[in-house]
Amino acid sequence: MTSHKQKLDDNLRSPLLLPVETNTGEEHVQPPLEMLSVDQMLTKYCGEFGFWQFKHFVLTCMAWALDAIHTMVMIFADREPAWTCQPGSSCKGSEKSVCELQPGSWQWDDSEGWSTMAEWGLVCGQKYKVGLVQALFFCGSMIGCGLFGHLSDSKLGRKRSLMIVCIMSITFSLLTSISPTYWTYVLLRLLTGFSTGGIGVCAFVLATEPIGPTKRGTAGMSTFYFFSIGLALVSAIAYMFQSWRFLYVASSIPSIIFLVFMLPFISESPRWYLVRGKTDEAMKIMHNIAKSNGKHLPKNVYLVLDKEPNSSCGGVKSRTKESVTGSVIDVIKSPITRSRLFILMGINFTTSVVYYGLNINATNLKTNIYLGVLLNSAAEMPAYLLTAILIDTFGRKPLGVGTQWFSAMFCLVGSLIGSQGKWKVVRMLCGVLGIFGMAGTYNLLYVYAMELFPTVVRNTAIGCARQVGQIGAVLVPFVVVMNGGHSFMVFGACGIVGGFLIFFLPETLNKPLYDTMNGMDRG
């Protein structure tokens, strides 16, 4: 009986145990780990430019409009108002400058508070002070773009840097509106430039880094639409608020709207998280991108830096805790990035002189200043569209040369045209066409610069290049006060030189976006 029972138990147990052992080996087979870079993951699983990227891109690029507003508000705040002769004075019917007239024989058409030039008497021998305040604004911008470019690559990240510069811009702009003296005004404009300098660098990189490689060029070329929107917006604001004090208050409102209603919905860059060793945060963003785009990101897929091998073995934990950093010293040490940086600095210098020069020069064309600035912003729109269409067909290099030389040609033509009668309208049109060409170059440079440097030093390199560009912008107010023909001649020469410099850069069309210096060296 006992023997029979034991035999029965063995027969019952055996069939139950064998399937368990067999199924255990089959059910616990895990798919191999797939290590991908950000570009590879976007292309294969998440989508290169879906709903998530579109929403993030639009919200982030709205910061470019703030950059334009805080920069170009000087055109209207520091303008020279129209003036008329006092009734019964000897200047009646005179076409002389106010500097050649007797004091008290003329008056400003509008209230003295409508312009800093009128309020503080910045005419004749004091006119250099107008150029000084504009130049110091760009000095502040030069320092700010370099500093915040470094901070956004290192400790702060792209999003927090953007938040800080927006808060600073709002604060300094509001304080500018209550400036009691000229020198207080100068200091506050310097500080506004310091904060504004970081807006463009942080916004551009933050907007384009989550976009896939084949869509990045076209998207990057679209960022400057928002700068043009800001340029048109500041013209409309200035038309409604013609007093320079009210103008500075009104120009701060778009920044407040962006800070409160848009910035909270913007995400940090997954590339920045990755190079800072925060792979979990980067993976969360990649999962959100895939989900919003209607895609699926498998659980066995992980992000790695491009310097790491694409391997399916080994632990993930050891791969995701490394923080990779870089600085301008690393850029200069590498022969590849050093030459690129110095050439890019030269191109940014010439481009800034022409772009900002033609915009600020609207005050000297003796035409309607509001219409002039509006036409300049309108001319930029088709330039961005055309370059966005052509960038992936002709590549960055030929397009950069073509846009620079197109602008230079019309600037040189403008230098040969007079400023009297109907000719001043023709010169204005030459300036508008010059803006058309240089706006395309200015936009292209950001896409080009982004692809020339790896993630760990991308904002740092772009910030350094933009710093040198701001040096060119610093000189612009002093070029603008020259004779109109001479100003156009300088702009034309800068366009020609900038076009030649682009010949020394490599083509980056359809090349990968590297994360580390080692990855770029191997690439």
Side-chain angles (χ1 to χ4, degrees), residues 70 79 102 131 147 178 206 215 222 354 371 386 495 497:
H70 289 298
R79 73 189 187 278
Q102 291 293 327
L147 176 63
I178 57 174
L206 183 58
K215 307 296 182 182
S222 303
V354 182
L371 178 62
L386 186 61
V497 172

Side-chain angles (χ1 to χ4, degrees), residues 140-385:
S141 183
M142 175 184 65
I143 299 169
C145 66
L147 176 63
F148 286 105
H150 172 71
L151 290 176
S152 64
D153 273 340
S154 54
K155 297 180 180 179
L156 292 181
R158 280 76 159 119
K159 183 178 177 179
R160 278 188 292 179
S161 295
L162 185 58
M163 178 184 68
I164 290 172
V165 294
C166 284
I167 293 173
M168 292 173 64
S169 297
I170 293 168
T171 303
F172 295 136
S173 185
L174 291 174
L175 290 175
T176 301
S177 68
I178 57 174
S179 301
T181 65
Y182 167 78
W183 291 110
T184 306
Y185 177 71
V186 169
L187 175 62
L188 289 169
R189 284 301 288 166
L190 172 67
L191 294 174
T192 305
F194 172 76
S195 58
T196 303
I199 293 179
V201 175
C202 298
F204 180 83
V205 175
L206 183 58
T208 52
E209 279 190 337
I211 297 174
T214 63
K215 307 296 182 182
R216 191 180 301 120
T218 302
M221 292 297 290
S222 303
T223 56
F224 271 72
Y225 282 116
F226 298 88
F227 191 91
S228 297
I229 291 172
L231 189 58
L233 187 60
V234 75
S235 180
I237 293 173
Y239 186 79
M240 292 185 290
F241 301 92
Q242 299 196 3
S243 167
W244 71 270
R245 294 186 184 274
F246 288 125
L247 176 58
Y248 277 110
V249 173
S251 64
S252 302
I253 295 175
S255 296
I256 297 172
I257 294 173
F258 175 82
L259 187 66
V260 175
F261 297 105
M262 298 183 186
L263 192 60
F265 299 99
I266 294 174
S267 173
E268 181 56 86
S269 169
R271 296 180 188 273
W272 181 79
Y273 276 137
L274 184 61
V275 299
R276 298 298 295 178
K278 301 179 179 180
T279 311
D280 289 341
E281 287 85 347
M283 284 300 301
K284 287 179 183 177
I285 295 175
M286 300 305 288
H287 278 287
N288 289 337
I289 294 174
K291 184 178 180 181
S292 297
N293 292 346
K295 306 281 187 177
H296 174 66
L297 184 60
K299 293 182 179 180
N300 65 305
V301 178
Y302 293 92
L303 279 175
V304 292
L305 296 170
D306 55 20
K307 75 169 190 174
E308 299 173 277
N310 184 7
S311 174
S312 60
C313 61
V316 177
K317 186 174 182 180
S318 62
R319 296 177 182 274
T320 59
K321 299 301 181 183
E322 180 187 4
S323 174
V324 182
T325 59
S327 67
V328 68
I329 303 299
D330 299 309
V331 178
I332 295 174
K333 281 182 178 179
S334 169
I336 296 175
T337 54
R338 180 175 61 243
S339 60
R340 294 179 179 183
L341 178 63
F342 290 153
I343 294 169
L344 199 63
M345 284 178 171
I347 299 170
N348 267 269
F349 178 87
T350 57
T351 303
S352 291
V353 170
V354 182
Y355 180 79
Y356 287 113
L358 288 173
N359 272 296
I360 297 176
N361 197 52
T363 59
N364 289 337
L365 295 178
K366 308 303 180 184
T367 55
N368 187 298
I369 185 173
Y370 304 101
L371 178 62
V373 173
L374 192 61
L375 284 176
N376 285 347
S377 65
E380 295 178 8
M381 296 288 189
Y384 300 149
L385 176 61

Side-chain angles (χ1 to χ4, degrees), residues 9 48 91 114 214 250 298 320 349 380 394 405 448 471 509 516:
D9 289 343
E48 294 192 58
C91 83
W114 283 29
T214 63
T320 59
F349 178 87
E380 295 178 8
F394 293 99
W405 285 357
Y448 211 169
I471 295 176
L509 177 63
T516 63

